[in-house]
Amino acid sequence: MHTESVRLVGAIIVVVFSIPIATGQQPGSSTEASLPTVNVVALKTPPMIMTRPPRVVYPPLAHGVEGWVRVECMVSPKGRIESVRVVASEPAGVFDQAAIDAMSYARFKPCKSCEPRLMVQRIIFDPG
């Protein structure tokens, strides 16, 4: 396997690999030169740097309850949260709105992309 090319496309780094594949041959019976190759594209997104963390407020009706919420957020190129959606939570529904409010407060370092970026965040609620 060897790297064919590396390109920066917006905020995504695209790496193309050539991988030889065997088709119906016995292991070790052929050379790499005689095998067909497949181009595999691997996408690597530069890390998002949080400049203002979520402001988590524990819901008063959930006194003594612990749980978590996993949210998907669209982050604009300017680092602002455009939308927040709950993907999963435990216990279901108890902390959802608090997690949405918390992530709406978060900010990220602006990136050189012209498209919003998707990020997933897990927020843990611990009464202790």
Side-chain angles (χ1 to χ4, degrees), residues 85-102:
R85 179 177 80 90
V86 173
V87 177
S89 61
E90 183 63 39
V94 174
F95 300 107
D96 292 7
Q97 190 58 50
I100 290 169
D101 295 342

Side-chain angles (χ1 to χ4, degrees), residues 16-56:
V16 178
F17 296 98
S18 278
I19 301 174
I21 58 169
T23 54
Q25 298 176 350
Q26 296 296 326
S29 67
S30 65
T31 63
E32 188 173 306
S34 67
L35 296 175
T37 59
V38 174
N39 285 336
V40 177
V41 177
L43 301 178
K44 183 177 182 194
T45 306
M48 297 176 69
I49 300 168
M50 188 176 286
T51 59
R52 186 167 76 185
R55 182 182 295 165
V56 179

Side-chain angles (χ1 to χ4, degrees), residues 55-122:
R55 182 182 295 165
V56 179
V57 177
Y58 203 85
L61 297 176
H63 179 70
V65 178
E66 63 181 62
W68 55 268
V69 179
R70 182 171 290 120
V71 293
E72 283 183 349
C73 305
M74 293 301 292
V75 182
S76 75
K78 293 183 179 183
R80 295 189 163 285
I81 301 293
E82 291 184 346
S83 64
V84 181
R85 179 177 80 90
V86 173
V87 177
S89 61
E90 183 63 39
V94 174
F95 300 107
D96 292 7
Q97 190 58 50
I100 290 169
D101 295 342
M103 284 310 299
S104 296
Y105 179 79
R107 296 291 180 266
F108 293 85
K109 184 176 178 181
C111 62
K112 295 178 181 172
S113 170
C114 60
E115 297 291 324
R117 296 171 65 186
L118 176 68
M119 59 102 39
V120 177
Q121 179 72 41
R122 183 175 184 205

